[in-house]
Amino acid sequence: MNPANPVSVDAEPYSFDLVPEACALLIIDMQRDFLEPGGFGEMLGNDVSQLRRTIEPNRRLLSAWRSLGLQVLHTREGHRPDLTDLPPAKRVRGRSATCIGDAGPMGRILVRGEAGHDIIPELYPTAGEPVIDKPGKGAFFATDLHAILQNRGVKQLVVTGVTTEVCVNTTVREANDRGYDCLVPADCVGSYFPEFQEAGLKMIKAQGGIFGWVSDSDRLLAALM
Ligand code: C5J
């Protein structure tokens, strides 16, 4: 593979011309509290198996990406321990008995430095892979992600992670507005709600790819390897 030459990835609504040296893998919020049995997500009554099915496809994709020497970035949703970056509206939304910053099964919920806030061991970042700590749903809001991507010559993103309709969709929309072409491999993104998984992917690729392209890890790896 010559990293400067585009490879054609079978995708919807039409094929995606991926330029390896200009394309980063952006893995969204694969955090222990969202994915691990006994974490905050499960404590709220969610079926974490809906998210855990994304771990193996992400692991394969990440391993291939690393072996090709391509760029990888990770994000984590969370807040400062003193919660000064937590909007009061976000803290009280949902009227849940347990809020961001309260004690959870793996430390304080969505607080940086706590065990549950960290990335699952299967996809743990290695040296040189930036980790973007984001206070919101979109990875561009109140972070230095755009600056890092610009400095590294990134123009395309393969976006994976959780959840499809929340942080993945918000990030793809933010990226699209900043001029990035985004490809989402369907088996590498997950939602606790199957209907939102389906709708979240349809929204991205509808209207001629209004926010981006949808493919899957098999088709992506077939084009790259
Ligand atoms: C993410 C959430 N990562 N659903 N967060 O999607 O609150």
Side-chain angles (χ1 to χ4, degrees):
M1 179 195 71
N2 179 339
N5 290 344
V7 294
S8 179
V9 181
D10 187 33
E12 294 89 41
Y14 53 87
S15 59
F16 183 84
D17 291 331
L18 189 155
V19 182
E21 67 180 8
C23 186
L25 175 61
L26 181 62
I27 305 178
I28 304 289
D29 300 359
M30 292 294 276
Q31 293 165 251
R32 296 185 61 197
D33 252 338
F34 292 136
L35 285 124
E36 290 199 351
F40 180 56
E42 191 173 76
M43 188 186 121
L44 291 179
N46 294 305
D47 173 10
V48 290
S49 69
Q50 295 289 341
L51 305 194
R52 292 192 66 79
R53 60 160 189 80
T54 70
I55 296 174
E56 182 53 24
N58 265 290
R59 200 197 54 71
R60 275 177 61 230
L61 187 59
L62 177 59
S63 164
W65 215 262
R66 284 174 174 158
S67 75
L68 292 166
L70 305 180
Q71 303 193 52
V72 180
L73 300 95
H74 307 256
T75 71
R76 299 183 294 202
E77 179 178 352
H79 296 273
R80 294 169 179 256
D82 63 7
L83 305 182
T84 49
D85 62 347
L86 174 62
K90 183 175 178 182
R91 180 167 164 80
V92 299
R93 184 74 51 77
R95 297 180 177 169
S96 169
T98 316
C99 300
I100 295 170
D102 292 347
M106 285 189 270
R108 293 178 67 205
I109 294 156
L110 285 191
V111 170
R112 295 175 190 160
E114 302 288 337
H117 172 263
D118 210 355
I119 292 173
I120 56 170
E122 295 91 331
L123 302 175
Y124 210 75
T126 57
E129 295 176 355
V131 178
I132 309 294
D133 278 321
K134 62 186 185 60
K137 305 305 181 196
F140 289 85
F141 170 68
T143 72
D144 49 11
L145 175 61
H146 188 50
I148 293 173
L149 296 176
Q150 294 290 294
N151 294 338
R152 292 176 159 214
V154 174
K155 295 184 169 55
Q156 303 176 326
L157 295 169
V158 169
V159 185
T160 73
V162 298
T163 61
T164 309
E165 76 280 15
V166 184
C167 293
V168 171
N169 241 275
T170 307
T171 298
V172 167
R173 291 166 189 229
E174 287 182 329
N176 181 60
D177 279 346
R178 286 164 177 79
Y180 298 94
D181 282 332
C182 294
L183 175 72
V184 178
D187 55 330
C188 294
V189 296
S191 168
Y192 295 121
F193 308 99
E195 66 272 30
F196 293 164
Q197 170 78 0
E198 194 188 340
L201 292 168
K202 276 188 182 163
M203 284 179 196
I204 291 168
K205 65 184 177 182
Q207 301 181 71
I210 195 155
F211 299 123
W213 286 254
V214 174
S215 184
D216 55 61
S217 61
D218 282 346
R219 287 187 282 169
L220 179 53
L221 289 172
L224 280 172
M225 305 301 285

